[in-house]
Amino acid sequence: MDAPIRPELVDFHGISMTKIFTENWENIQNFQARPDDILIATYAKAGTTWVSQILDLLYFGQTERHKTLPIYERVPFLELHIPSYMSGTEQADNLPTSPRLIKTHLPYQLVPKSFWEQNCRVVYVARNAKDNMVSYYHFNRMNQGQPAAGDWNSFFQKFMEGKMVFGPWYDHVNGWWKKKQTYPKIHYMFYEDMIEDTGREIDKLCSFLGLSPSAEEKRMVVGGTQFDNMKKNEMANYSTIPMMDFKISPFMRKGKVGDWKNHFTVAQNEEFDEDYKQKMKDPTLQFRTTI
Ligand code: A3P
């Protein structure tokens, strides 16, 4: 049985959200970005934590901070606001590091305007819809701060209808892809590429950021961000968040491409593909559901 604290979806500027992401809206809208801030933008469950850990290690290495502060303190979640517990804007304002790494799941049109005005770099990570859906399903099952997942079949329908926190996956990935045409300081990455060759994707990321790590530093980043290492790293695996019940599903669950095949029925897959074709018309944005 789901606990009663499970929130309802609310419509917020046309996007489904829950209160913990809208209640601090004035401070979010007025958030003052700095020119060297790096915004890590993703649809939820696309690999945010992975790329956050990569960026944190690239910039700051394996320092004391890295070993003692959980990822959500090193990389604040901008729109998250749980009174007297956590506030993304406050955490970001108080971050002692430079650059500041800041995470968001907002669709591009809701991002505070100072990020664009300050010409900040944005790292966007996208993940194929099928695996993203499966990961999101297990996340909503285990995280009491999210709406109840319901059964797989109803979650599957809700995902296609866009009735998810942060709105439809389809609009999110397309919106950020189009934004990149007019705002070139977006590095658009794919989870599947990172799985295929993490080192290659870190090289591309570094060239976007203007970083040149040594071979040794790069080895440390690749090693430190491997799935198995992050899964057992308490500062990266979210095991310190009480709202998450790892007995239902761990945060670092499988870390694979293609787990959707263990969830989608043949009929669901056909229905999904038909609907996908209608929603994803831009031939320049292609995802891989297997590698
Ligand atoms: P799964 O549920 O499919 O395992 P986010 O950080 O955006 O919430 O995304 C979480 C997803 O990224 C989870 O997917 C998680 O296992 C996966 N992930 C996290 N770290 C990873 C890593 N180092 N390598 C591969 N996948 C990783």
Side-chain angles (χ1 to χ4, degrees):
M1 262 256 308
D2 293 321
I5 57 164
R6 292 238 182 217
E8 295 293 323
L9 284 183
V10 292
D11 180 84
F12 188 74
H13 300 284
I15 304 292
S16 310
M17 297 277 248
T18 50
K19 273 190 180 168
I20 56 172
F21 301 117
T22 61
E23 277 189 339
N24 191 30
W25 200 248
E26 199 163 324
N27 290 325
I28 296 166
Q29 281 285 276
N30 296 324
F31 181 75
Q32 287 306 304
R34 299 180 196 148
D36 65 342
D37 284 345
I38 297 170
L39 187 66
I40 300 166
T42 59
Y43 190 70
K45 310 319 290 172
T48 331
T49 316
W50 190 6
V51 84
S52 298
Q53 184 80 345
I54 290 174
L55 283 166
D56 189 66
L57 279 176
L58 280 173
Y59 277 103
F60 309 116
Q62 278 175 326
T63 54
E64 204 45 33
R65 186 179 149 274
H66 178 85
K67 291 177 198 147
T68 53
L69 291 180
I71 189 75
Y72 47 84
E73 288 185 32
R74 286 175 279 135
V75 182
F77 187 178
L78 184 69
E79 58 272 21
L80 179 66
H81 182 76
I82 306 174
S84 63
Y85 178 51
M86 217 179 265
S87 163
T89 52
E90 254 176 55
Q91 279 178 281
D93 284 338
N94 295 326
L95 264 190
T97 54
S98 177
R100 299 186 298 185
L101 306 173
I102 300 172
K103 153 184 164 179
T104 187
H105 289 321
L106 293 172
Y108 79 95
Q109 71 274 19
L110 295 183
V111 167
K113 64 179 186 320
S114 65
F115 283 99
W116 314 124
E117 288 166 354
Q118 296 295 331
N119 206 22
C120 297
R121 286 192 176 87
V122 182
V123 175
Y124 186 82
V125 189
R127 185 179 193 182
N128 83 76
K130 293 178 182 178
D131 283 326
N132 207 138
M133 183 199 294
V134 168
S135 184
Y136 211 161
Y137 169 64
H138 291 291
F139 184 65
N140 281 9
R141 289 174 58 235
M142 63 83 90
N143 184 352
Q144 297 288 327
Q146 283 284 107
D151 64 19
W152 165 248
N153 197 40
S154 68
F155 190 88
F156 173 86
Q157 294 299 336
K158 279 188 283 186
F159 185 94
M160 288 197 300
E161 290 163 17
K163 291 185 188 149
M164 296 281 116
V165 184
F166 300 110
W169 173 93
Y170 312 88
D171 294 352
H172 207 282
V173 298
N174 272 306
W176 278 97
W177 183 253
K178 288 205 180 68
K179 180 74 184 170
K180 186 177 148 60
Q181 319 309 316
T182 54
Y183 185 86
K185 279 176 99 172
I186 296 174
H187 182 62
Y188 200 106
M189 306 175 73
F190 293 93
Y191 179 90
E192 294 72 28
D193 293 346
M194 289 168 66
I195 290 282
E196 184 176 66
D197 190 339
T198 313
R200 178 192 66 204
E201 295 308 307
I202 290 179
D203 287 343
K204 289 197 224 159
L205 185 59
C206 287
S207 95
F208 167 72
L209 299 168
L211 298 176
S212 359
S214 65
E216 184 49 36
E217 282 166 336
K218 203 184 130 186
R219 257 197 304 279
M220 177 274 291
V221 176
V222 174
T225 59
Q226 267 170 8
F227 181 77
D228 291 341
N229 288 337
M230 281 185 60
K231 191 176 170 80
K232 58 182 182 230
N233 176 353
E234 282 191 357
M235 294 299 115
N237 66 13
Y238 280 88
S239 55
T240 41
I241 295 267
M243 273 184 301
M244 296 184 183
D245 186 345
F246 280 38
K247 288 198 286 301
I248 298 177
S249 179
F251 184 94
M252 299 287 167
R253 197 182 56 89
K254 287 202 176 168
K256 292 215 170 352
V257 179
D259 188 39
W260 62 271
K261 291 176 192 163
N262 299 316
H263 293 74
F264 282 47
T265 64
V266 172
Q268 280 176 335
N269 197 34
E270 282 168 10
E271 185 185 349
F272 184 89
D273 287 347
E274 199 44 53
D275 179 69
Y276 189 87
K277 264 190 255 158
Q278 305 307 317
K279 289 175 176 153
M280 299 294 286
K281 300 261 188 208
D282 183 346
T284 66
L285 180 57
Q286 296 290 335
F287 285 87
R288 293 188 289 168
T289 53
T290 50
I291 54 170

